[in-house]
Amino acid sequence: MVHETLAATNAVVTLDVAIPDIFWGWYVTMNMWAKSIGTGLVFMLFLLLKKNPSEMNGLRTPVMITSFIFMNIFLVFTWLDLHQMWRMWHIFFYPHWTSAITVGAWMATLFVGLEFVMIAVMIRKEKCLLTKQPTVFFDKTLFWVTLLAIPVTLYTAGIMAEATARELWQMPTESAQMILAATLSGSAAIILLGGSKLSDETKNFFGAILGLSALMAFIIYMSEYIFGAMKAEEVAAILGYVKGDGEYATMFWIGQWVAYILPMILVALSRVSNSSSLLNLAAILAIVGLWVVKHVWLVIPQLLPMS
Amino acid sequence: MQLGFLVDLHLCMGCKGCEIACKVENEVPLSTWRLRVKYVDVGTFPETKRTFTPLRCNHCENAPCERICPVSALHYIDNGIVNIDKERCIGCAGCVMACPYGAIYIDPETQTADKCTYCAHRIASSMMPACVVACPVEANIFGDLEDPASNISRYIQDHRDVQVRKPEKGTNPHHYYVGAGQASLNPLASRREEGYNLFNNITTLPLGGHH
Ligand code: SF4
Ligand code: SF4
């Protein structure tokens, strides 16, 4: 007997062995989240260099070390997520260049290698071949590392775009979201790391980046939430998970509030009241909320039956 | 040469012989399938009928799984088959995310991706795929799409209602269906009701450490 079938076909699957499963779970969320912070910090350090180089003193090494740690968290979780993790070297010895996974792995390795060199030069106070001062070497290399940080942070959007089964992961919006995740979490992290080393003016500058990143990311999510379903049946079905009243609907809105709405409000309030603690709270919420936001968007397209 | 499959759903009676033949031939572990027959009940009681749709890898001409595989574990061979080299696979599951047909699984024993290969090893010895041999009603028609005299080419020429799954994805599948409808080809056209599926409480082997 058939109950509650779709009006169009009156069809119900009665015998099915499809295994709906989440293959890219929270390890991949960790990957995206940690990478956003790692690359975002580099973007912000470069902006600081351009805006107010005198405030770089005392921040170069700690910021770069923090970025390096988060980049390594990203690499470890990527590695742990492989079912055959000891074959990781295959990516380097049998690379398939149409794959964004391959391209990303190579670029991320180069990025982390350059960060390591920059940190080593600063710690050992080495006189480099090119320059006499480690800081000059650092600042010159920072330009190239910042350039590299753009594709490193974006390539995950490429992987998602290549994952053609999942309609919600679309290249134009995902790439915008990836770069905004980097500017959001990077500005948040540098506000927290900079502390009293940053002037009020610089903190306000990074606060503005934080608030604007949150606003733009929120606008994109809301646009997809409201209009996405008009594009495809699959998107409509996926959005059902965030529009219903279940686990993912709750998680989606918690993420939107914690990552975007509250930080926007707190940044605005911190400017009005000139309060560092409100700005710090905005930064912490943005970093925590970003994880939730990324996780919901990663997991829900995997809940649809593909066959 | 471009090998392809066609299933005449008018003939298929849902015996699952192909599923079992595939499992035995390819030693497909418990809880996973290279080929499965989907059952969909269509209509409202008492006007109902059951449809059967054998689902396997479509060996797409423009295969997203091949494109996303970082180590070329998924690759084309000369006869058009999208094959898999399990020794290369790093188990990133990119292909699982990329295939719009849910045709790839992670083998719980080898921890690598696996899927229907059109029995590439049998083809290499001039044999037919195991599912073709097992089908009692010859619903599975397999052959060279580029040869106009092959069974499959003639079948495609002789029938008007030849369809592929999800043509809008642009994958150009080399797997065709005759006599299919929305309910059989579109996974969103039918509901999967909790409690109405035979294998709801299926036991799965652990897949990696993180599921
Ligand atoms: S059906 Fe899926 S697994 Fe098979 S070739 Fe196409 S994309 Fe790859
Ligand atoms: S799981 Fe294996 S076959 Fe699939 S994309 Fe990754 S490496 Fe390639």
Side-chain angles (χ1 to χ4, degrees):
Chain A
M1 192 157 70
V2 179
H3 289 281
E4 295 177 46
T5 52
L6 293 191
T9 56
N10 277 339
V12 63
V13 176
T14 47
L15 178 54
D16 197 3
V17 287
I19 304 169
D21 209 350
I22 294 169
F23 277 83
W24 284 351
W26 69 271
Y27 282 24
V28 177
T29 310
M30 281 301 287
N31 156 325
M32 292 192 285
W33 177 80
K35 180 155 66 71
S36 297
I37 299 172
T39 53
L41 274 171
V42 168
F43 290 138
M44 295 307 132
L45 199 59
F46 182 72
L47 284 181
L48 183 60
L49 177 70
K50 293 292 146 197
K51 186 177 159 50
N52 200 346
S54 62
E55 292 185 37
M56 290 285 280
N57 293 335
L59 275 184
R60 284 183 181 86
T61 316
V63 169
M64 196 50 81
I65 288 178
T66 312
S67 166
F68 183 74
I69 291 170
F70 275 94
M71 289 308 288
N72 277 287
I73 293 173
F74 143 67
L75 289 176
V76 165
F77 277 89
T78 307
W79 178 67
L80 287 175
D81 195 54
L82 301 181
H83 289 79
Q84 283 284 2
M85 52 175 81
W86 303 113
R87 294 183 187 169
M88 179 68 195
W89 57 272
H90 284 198
I91 281 196
F92 299 100
F93 288 88
Y94 305 111
H96 185 42
W97 295 108
T98 61
S99 170
I101 300 173
T102 310
V103 177
W106 279 73
M107 286 191 309
T109 307
L110 178 62
F111 182 82
V112 172
L114 281 172
E115 282 194 319
F116 181 78
V117 172
M118 289 167 81
I119 293 166
V121 165
M122 289 300 288
I123 288 177
R124 292 173 60 104
K125 304 261 183 292
E126 288 209 353
K127 290 193 177 139
C128 304
L129 291 177
L130 298 174
T131 58
K132 296 212 166 58
Q133 283 293 326
T135 49
V136 176
F137 168 81
F138 185 98
D139 294 351
K140 284 201 165 134
T141 316
L142 184 58
F143 171 75
W144 298 106
V145 173
T146 307
L147 267 190
L148 190 56
I150 299 170
V152 168
T153 211
L154 287 183
Y155 87 86
T156 313
I159 299 177
M160 294 206 159
E162 285 190 335
T164 46
R166 322 286 150 175
E167 284 285 346
L168 207 55
W169 302 338
Q170 296 184 44
M171 184 57 180
T173 45
E174 276 309 319
S175 47
Q177 288 291 19
M178 295 276 167
I179 210 92
L180 289 171
T183 52
L184 177 91
S185 57
S187 54
I190 205 160
I191 286 168
L192 296 173
L193 272 176
S196 55
K197 290 195 192 97
L198 294 176
S199 64
D200 284 353
E201 186 208 343
T202 307
K203 275 194 181 171
N204 274 342
F205 171 69
F206 286 126
I209 294 178
L210 173 61
L212 284 174
S213 304
L215 175 66
M216 283 154 73
F218 181 67
I219 288 172
I220 296 175
Y221 273 118
M222 286 305 107
S223 308
E224 292 189 292
Y225 182 88
I226 295 163
F227 295 107
M230 292 178 184
K231 293 287 177 194
E233 185 186 17
E234 264 181 39
V235 178
I238 294 167
L239 286 176
Y241 288 96
V242 288
K243 289 189 169 171
D245 53 4
E247 179 190 355
Y248 291 100
T250 314
M251 208 189 272
F252 176 78
W253 283 109
I254 289 175
Q256 296 296 314
W257 273 92
V258 178
Y260 304 136
I261 302 172
L262 288 176
M264 276 190 277
I265 296 170
L266 289 169
V267 166
L269 287 178
S270 78
R271 288 178 89 92
V272 175
S273 61
N274 223 349
S275 157
S276 280
S277 25
L278 285 181
L279 192 57
N280 287 347
L281 183 60
I284 293 169
L285 290 180
I287 289 175
V288 174
L290 186 67
W291 196 95
V292 182
V293 159
K294 289 275 160 205
H295 191 60
V296 179
W297 218 245
L298 173 77
V299 162
I300 52 167
Q302 298 179 51
L303 299 172
L304 271 198
M306 285 291 132
S307 56
Chain B
M1 180 183 268
Q2 175 59 67
L3 294 172
F5 241 104
L6 182 144
V7 185
D8 189 338
L9 298 185
H10 296 303
L11 298 176
C12 177
M13 56 184 187
C15 73
K16 288 178 168 269
C18 53
E19 251 186 33
I20 305 305
C22 171
K23 277 224 168 223
V24 173
E25 175 69 29
N26 297 296
E27 296 178 356
V28 179
L30 271 177
S31 85
T32 50
W33 286 265
R34 283 187 174 200
L35 156 65
R36 67 190 178 85
V37 182
K38 182 170 123 184
Y39 283 36
V40 184
D41 285 346
V42 185
T44 310
F45 182 82
E47 297 299 319
T48 58
K49 70 175 183 180
R50 177 165 286 180
T51 72
F52 313 108
T53 321
L55 303 172
R56 52 169 84 71
C57 166
N58 297 284
H59 295 264
C60 308
E61 186 181 315
N62 178 23
C65 63
E66 188 270 350
R67 193 160 48 243
I68 204 173
C69 179
V71 292
S72 301
L74 285 155
H75 57 276
Y76 290 102
I77 50 181
D78 287 345
N79 53 20
I81 287 178
V82 179
N83 208 0
I84 179 154
D85 179 349
K86 295 180 85 169
E87 296 300 315
R88 281 235 181 134
C89 174
I90 58 173
C92 65
C95 53
V96 179
M97 293 299 129
C99 171
Y101 307 99
I104 305 190
Y105 60 93
I106 299 288
D107 183 323
E109 286 171 6
T110 60
Q111 296 289 305
T112 57
D114 203 9
K115 68 173 191 71
C116 159
T117 60
Y118 280 174
C119 281
H121 59 290
R122 288 174 63 94
I123 310 285
S125 316
S126 304
M127 290 191 285
M128 277 284 179
C131 57
V132 176
V133 178
C135 182
V137 291
E138 296 185 21
N140 285 310
I141 295 150
F142 180 75
D144 183 4
L145 293 163
E146 285 176 354
D147 173 5
S150 69
N151 243 356
I152 188 167
S153 296
R154 279 192 278 126
Y155 220 94
I156 290 173
Q157 282 154 24
D158 293 349
H159 289 78
R160 287 191 162 190
D161 57 340
V162 179
Q163 283 177 280
V164 293
R165 293 178 64 208
K166 304 186 185 178
E168 74 282 0
K169 293 281 183 184
T171 55
N172 299 345
H174 288 133
H175 190 293
Y176 304 86
Y177 293 94
V178 164
Q182 268 290 307
S184 35
L185 297 189
N186 178 357
L188 298 181
S190 46
R191 281 205 181 146
R192 287 168 168 80
E193 305 273 5
E194 270 304 308
Y196 286 87
N197 299 348
L198 198 65
F199 294 120
N200 261 359
N201 297 323
I202 201 151
T203 308
T204 52
L205 297 175
L207 294 172
H210 53 280
H211 294 284

